[in-house]
Amino acid sequence: MKLKINRFLKRTAIVIVFSVMQNTVAQGHPSLVLTKKGVTEIRAKLGKVPLFDTSLAEAKTEVDAEIALGIITPIPKDFSGGYTHERHKKNFLIIQKAGVLYQILNDKKYAVYVRDMLLAYAKLYPTLPLHPQERSYARGKLFWQALNDSNWLVYTSQAYDCVYDFISVADRETIEKDLFKPFADFISIGSPQFFDRVHNHSTWGNVAVGMIALVMDDAELLDRALNGLKENGLPAGMKDNDGGLIKKPGQKTGFLANVNEPFSPDGYYTEGPYYQRYAMYPFMVFAEALQNTKPDVKIFEYKNGILIKAVYALLHLTNAAGEFFPLNDGQKGMSYYSRELVSAVDIAYLYGGKDASLLSIAEKQGRVQLDNSGMAVALAIKKGLAKPFEKKSIDLSDGPEGKDGGVAIIRNKNEGSELTLVMKYAAQGLSHGHFDKLSFSYYNNSSEVLQDYGLARFVNIEQKGGGNYLKENTTWAKQTIAHNTIIQNETSHFGADFETGNQFSSKKYLYDVSNPKVQIISATEDNAYPGTKMHRTMVVLQDEGYEKPLLLDIFQIDSDKANQYDLPFYYQGQMMSSNFTYQTPKTLEPLGKAYGYQHLWKEGIGKATTENTKISWLDNGVFYSLTSATQPTDELLFVGLGANDPSFNLRRDPGFIIRKKNSQKATFVNVIETHGSYNPVTEVATNAFSLIDKIEVVYEDANYIGVTIKNKERKSILFILATNNNSTTKKHQIKIKDTTYTWVGTHYKTIN
Amino acid sequence: MKLKINRFLKRTAIVIVFSVMQNTVAQGHPSLVLTKKGVTEIRAKLGKVPLFDTSLAEAKTEVDAEIALGIITPIPKDFSGGYTHERHKKNFLIIQKAGVLYQILNDKKYAVYVRDMLLAYAKLYPTLPLHPQERSYARGKLFWQALNDSNWLVYTSQAYDCVYDFISVADRETIEKDLFKPFADFISIGSPQFFDRVHNHSTWGNVAVGMIALVMDDAELLDRALNGLKENGLPAGMKDNDGGLIKKPGQKTGFLANVNEPFSPDGYYTEGPYYQRYAMYPFMVFAEALQNTKPDVKIFEYKNGILIKAVYALLHLTNAAGEFFPLNDGQKGMSYYSRELVSAVDIAYLYGGKDASLLSIAEKQGRVQLDNSGMAVALAIKKGLAKPFEKKSIDLSDGPEGKDGGVAIIRNKNEGSELTLVMKYAAQGLSHGHFDKLSFSYYNNSSEVLQDYGLARFVNIEQKGGGNYLKENTTWAKQTIAHNTIIQNETSHFGADFETGNQFSSKKYLYDVSNPKVQIISATEDNAYPGTKMHRTMVVLQDEGYEKPLLLDIFQIDSDKANQYDLPFYYQGQMMSSNFTYQTPKTLEPLGKAYGYQHLWKEGIGKATTENTKISWLDNGVFYSLTSATQPTDELLFVGLGANDPSFNLRRDPGFIIRKKNSQKATFVNVIETHGSYNPVTEVATNAFSLIDKIEVVYEDANYIGVTIKNKERKSILFILATNNNSTTKKHQIKIKDTTYTWVGTHYKTIN
C-alpha cells in the first residue's frame, strides 16, 4: 500500500503528508471527495467505464469553455437570475469541476484556473460590503443571501482541496487569510441567524464551514461546523424572511443537529422533498468528506444510517417521471435528475452497501459524480449489475422521533399505468411548510390528476421578484384552500399562523397496504381548528368491476359548533360533464377575501340536487370522474385561480369545491375514477363515462363508517372502517340494513 | 404472365374472370386496393419485410379479437362517441382488415367473418328508417350522418371485393340487392344535399358509391360517383347544418369535380389540413382503385397530378411533431400518424414516382397499408432507401386556379429549434372556414408560441354535444377575435357572414424566401371590412445580434372612416413581465357582447406609456418577448378565455390585445423574440430578457414603410418594404433621416 502511494506521489509536484487532526487518517490532498487513492484508481480506469468517461467528457467540455472565457468575478449586485448572481454561481460550479479535472486528467491548466480564480476572489472578497440587495434576513457578500455564499464555499472548498498541493505556500496563505477564513467566519459567527439553526439554510452554512475546515485542517472551524456556535446572541423568537422561526429555545445546532432533527427515522426531511433534495448535496458530500477524513465519526451510521435512508426516501418521493412531489414549498419539475441527486445516489451506493437498485436510477440519470463513488457506480453499471428500483407503497414518518405524523405514498401499478396517492399528515415542515393538514395529491404516472399547487415562485427567474418567493406564495400557495383538504369557515389551518402550526402534527390512525387491492391510509387532525376533529381515510381500491383502481376518500369532521366546510379538488385539464345544474355568473367575483380565497374566481355555483354529485374531466388523454355522496344542501363551486394576481404570478388552474354550510358534523365521501382514453389522432374515445352508479354512506356512528360503491351493473362494493379502534386484532360486529357483518381488524370489504 | 396468374388461381376456390366494364383491364376480385397480382407478390414476401409484417400482425391481433366477440350490429341510436355509432364504425374498420387478411393469409375464417357481417347488415339495413338523431342536414341510416354511412361503404366495399369470390352467388345477390344497392342509392339519390356538392362530405359519398360500383361492376353507379347526379332537385341556396352552402349555381359535382375544385394547383385543400387529411383517404384509395381497374382514366395525372401534390402539401402543413396546423376547423393533435396519412403516403409513394423522402415519413408512422403500396414502402425501407423529408418554407396557393390567396409556411431551422410561421391569406375554406383573414400562428418546434385556437369540438366524445361541433365553435372559434389578426369595431370579418366571406379571398402581395435570413410573406385584404384596406407583412428575420430569428409583423390598415382596431396575440404559458402599468379589475367582465368578444374576460387594462410596449412570457422552458411600436393612446388588454361558457367547452387560454381607437389609418409593428431557456431541474434561466431595446417606424408613406429594430448594444436592423409595388426588378430610392437608400426589388435590409 505504502509502495503504491509512493509510486503515485512521484507523479505530482509537491506532496505534504500530515495528520489533519486528531483521530484523522493521515493523508494529504485531495482528501474530501476525491482521495489520493481514489484518484489513482480512477486514472487507471479512464477510457474503460462509459458512464464515467462521458460524465468526465461533459465536465471537460464545460470547463474548457469557461477557461476560454477567462476569470470573471464581477462586483455583486443582482438577485438570483441576474448577471452577477449567475456568474458567481457558475464560477463555483465550474472551479469544483476544474479541480476534479486537474486531479483526474493531471493537466496543470485546470489547477492554474482554480488558483487564479481563488486569487481573484481573495482580492475581491476583503473589499465587499454586505450584498446591496436587502431582502434577506441573512445577507451574503457575493450573493444576496448568506445561503448562496455557503453554496459557493461548499463547492469552492472542494476545488481548493484538489489544487492545494499545486498552489504555492505564499498563495495559499493569501487565499486562506483573505478569502476562506473571513468567508467562513462571516457565514457563521457573522451570520448567526443563518448559521445557528436547524434548517436547510444552516445545513449549507455548517457544511461550508466544515468543508473548508477539513481542507485547512482547522479544528476550531470543524467543531463550529459540527456543533454550532457556542454563543449566538440571537433574540428569542427571531424569524427569517419566510416567516420561519430561527431557533426553538434550547435547540441544538450545527451539522449533527441538522442531521438529527429534521430527518425522521424513515429519512423524511420535514421541510419536504424539494428542500430535502436541495440539502442532500451538502449532507452527502460532507458526509463523504468526513468518512474520508474522519472515519471514526462513522457519519453514515449516524442515527441508524439516516443519511442513506434519506436518499431512499427521496427516491420514493417521486412520480413515475422521477419528479418530486411538490409538498410544501416545492418547484414542480424538480427531479432525481438534478445534480444533487446524482451525487446523493452515487454516494449512497458506495457508502450504503452497494445496493444494485440504485444503479438503475444512476443509469437513468445518465451521469455520475466525478469521484470514487461515481466510478463505483459507473463500473457496476458497466458490469451489468443494475437492478430495477421498485417504488412501492411507503409510509414515511415525520419528526426526529418519527412521531410527528408523516407522508403516505400509495401506489398501484397495472397495465402500464401507475396510480399514486400522496397523503400528507405531517408536521408543519418548518418555514417552508404549507397549511395543508390531511391534504393529498394524486398521480397517473407522471400526470397530476389532482394537484398540489407547489410553490408560487419562479426560482432564479429574475423578472419574477428576483427569482425569490413571491407574495402569492404566502397569500395563496401556503394557504389551506390551495390544497385538496378541508377548510373551515374560509380560514386556513391554525389561522395560517406558523408558530401555532409548528407546534402540532397530524396523527396516523392506520396505514395498511398488506392487501395490494385495498391499500389504506387514515389519519386525524385535531389542532388545525381548535374544537374540531378531522379524520380522513383514503383507500386505493382495485376491483375488477372497474378498469382502473378507485380512490375512495372518506373525510369525517366533527366540531363543537356549526361551521362551513369546503373541500376542494384541483383537477387538471378540461371539464367534460357534470350531473347538476349550476349558474355561471356574467361577471366574475373572487370567492372570498382572505386566506387564499381572494385568488379564486367563482366561475360556477350549483346545488347538489341528486344523491350523488358527479363531474368528469379529460386530461392528457385520460378521463377522470369524481362521484360524491352529497346532500341536497351542499353547494358546488367551480373555481378558477387568478383573482387578485396583478403580476400574473399564479397559474390559471381550475378547481371544484364541495361546500357544506352550517354543519357541526359532516362527512365527505368521494370516489375518484380513472377511466378510458382519448387519442386525437385516432379520434377514438373509450370508456368515456364513469361506471359508478351510486355511492352511499350506509352506516355511520361514533365507531364505524360503512360506504357502498355501486357500478352500473349493480355490483356493489361495501367498505367498512372502524373509526375509533385501529387494533389489527380487534373483533368487530355491526348490522347494516338487516345484514350483520363481523370481522377482525380495522376494516372490512366485500362485494355483493 | 398469364401462366403466373393461372398458377395462382389454382390455389383459390372459385374464380370468375370477366371484364368489369368498357376500357377496364380484365380481372377478377380483388381488384380495388388489393389486386390478384399484388396478393401473389405480397404472399411471396411474407415474413421478410419487417414493417409490413408488423403491420399485418397488428391487424391480425385486432381482427382476431373482434372475431372472438362475434358479429354485433345494433339498432342505430347514438351520436358519435355513443355505443351504436362506435360499434358500427368499428365493424367497417375491422371487416376491411378482415378482407385483406383473408387475401394475404388465405385463411377462410376471415372470409367467413366478412360474409356473415355483410349478411347481418343485409338483414338489418332494409328495416332501418332514418337514424333517430335529427341534427344532421343529411341523416344516415346506420349513423346520424350520411357522411358516416359513406365512411362505412368506402371500407365495406373493400371487404366485399376481397371476399367476393368466396361468397356464394346466392349470398352475393342478397347482399347486393338488400344492402349495397339500396345503400348506394340512399347516400346518393336519396341524399342529394349530401352527395351532390363540392365538400369533404360529398367526396366520401362519391367514393363510397364509386367503390361499390367497381366491385359490383355497375357502370351507372360509377358514372354517378364520378360525375354527380344528373338531376338533384335541390332548392337554390340550401345550406348544411354548419351553415355551409350546399352548391353554387352551375357547379359541377361528383368525384372528379371534388378533385378539381377544392384543391389548388399546389395541392392545398380549401377546407384546411384537418379536413384535407379526412378527405385524403377516400381521394387516394378510390384513385388507387381507379388506377387498378381503369388505368385509362389516369387519375393520378389528373389536374397535373394534383392528388399526389396534395399529399405533399399535407405533409408540409405540419409542425415539427407531424401535427397539422389547426387552420379553420381543425382538432389539435391530429397528425400524419393518422391512418389516413399512412394510406396516403403509401399510395403517393407507389403511384407518385417512388420518392424516397416519403419513406422517412412512413418509417416514423411505423406501419403501412396492407396492400401493394404498403408492401412497396416497407420493401424500400428494408432496402435502406429512405431519405429525410425536408420541410422547407412553402407558399401554398388556394382556389381551383390558385388565385384565391393561400397559406404561407416559413421555416427557419437553427441549432435544434425550428421556428415556423403559418400565415393564412386564403379563401373562406367552405363551411369549415374561419373568419381569420391575414391571421397567423407561430411554432417553436411543436410548441405553439402564438396559437390558432382550432375548433371548439371534442370529436367523438359523446359528453360534449354528442362529439359534434359545439355552439362555441360558431360563437368563438370561427370568429375573428379568436385569431391573431385585426378586428375592426369588435365585428368579425365579413360580419361573420359565410356567404359574403365565401365570395372573397385575400391576395398575395409578396412571398420571398430566397434569402434564408430574410423570409417574407406579405398579403392584403380589402373585403373583410368594406372601405378598409389591410396589408400584413411578416418577416422571419435571422440576425446574429439575436439568439434566435425574430418575427417582424407589420400590419397596416387604412380605412375610409375612423374605427377601433384590435390586434390580439394568443400566447401560451406564464406571463413573466410587462413594461407598462395596468389595472387588474376586482371583478371580471366580458370584453364585449358579440363576435366572440363575449367569451373573453378582461383581466388587465393598461395604456402604452412608452414608445415601445413589451411583454415577456415563459412557455415550455423557452422565453418569448413581444415588443410593439405603440402610441401613448393605444390600449393594452390582458384577456382570458372562458366567459359565457356555461358548459366549460372552451380552454382557459390567455391573450394580449393591442387596441387602437378612433383611427382611420393605423400601423401595428410588432416583433416576437424567442430567447433563452429555463430548466426546472437545473433551475438555470439563460437569456431571460428581451434583447430588443427599441423598435421604431422610421418611415411610412403610401409607397414605403421603414422599420428599425435596435438591440441593447445599439445595433440597428433597418427593414424597408415597398408597399405599393411588388416588382422584383423595380428600382427604389428613399431618404430616411438624411440617409438615402437605394435598392432593387420589394424590400431592403441593412444593419447599422
Side-chain angles (χ1 to χ4, degrees), chain A residues 274 331 334 459-460 463-464 574-575 582 586-588 601 603 644 646 648 650 652 678 680-681 683 688, chain B residues 274 331 334 459-460 463-464 574-575 582 586-588 603 644 646 648 650 652 678 680-681 683 688:
Chain A
Y274 179 73
Q331 167 151 285
M334 180 54 79
V459 182
N460 293 333
Q463 294 98 311
K464 285 292 192 192
Q574 187 81 32
M575 187 54 55
Y582 57 90
K586 290 291 162 198
T587 61
L588 288 193
W601 295 116
E603 292 196 15
N644 286 292
F648 294 88
L650 297 172
R652 295 317 193 233
Y678 183 70
V681 176
E683 297 188 329
Chain B
Y274 179 73
Q331 166 150 290
M334 179 55 78
V459 182
N460 293 333
Q463 293 99 309
K464 285 292 193 191
Q574 187 81 32
M575 187 55 55
Y582 56 90
K586 290 290 161 200
T587 63
L588 288 192
E603 292 197 14
N644 285 293
F648 294 87
L650 298 171
R652 295 314 193 236
Y678 184 70
V681 176
E683 296 189 328

Side-chain angles (χ1 to χ4, degrees), chain A residues 432-446:
Chain A
H432 289 296
H434 287 194
F435 299 97
D436 61 348
K437 296 293 165 199
L438 307 186
S439 182
F440 80 104
S441 52
Y442 193 44
Y443 290 81
N444 185 354
N445 293 321
S446 60

Side-chain angles (χ1 to χ4, degrees), chain B residues 664-682:
Chain B
Q664 196 164 342
K665 280 192 177 196
T667 301
F668 294 77
V669 177
N670 290 282
V671 177
I672 291 119
E673 258 176 293
T674 305
H675 55 96
S677 66
Y678 184 70
N679 179 331
V681 176
T682 61

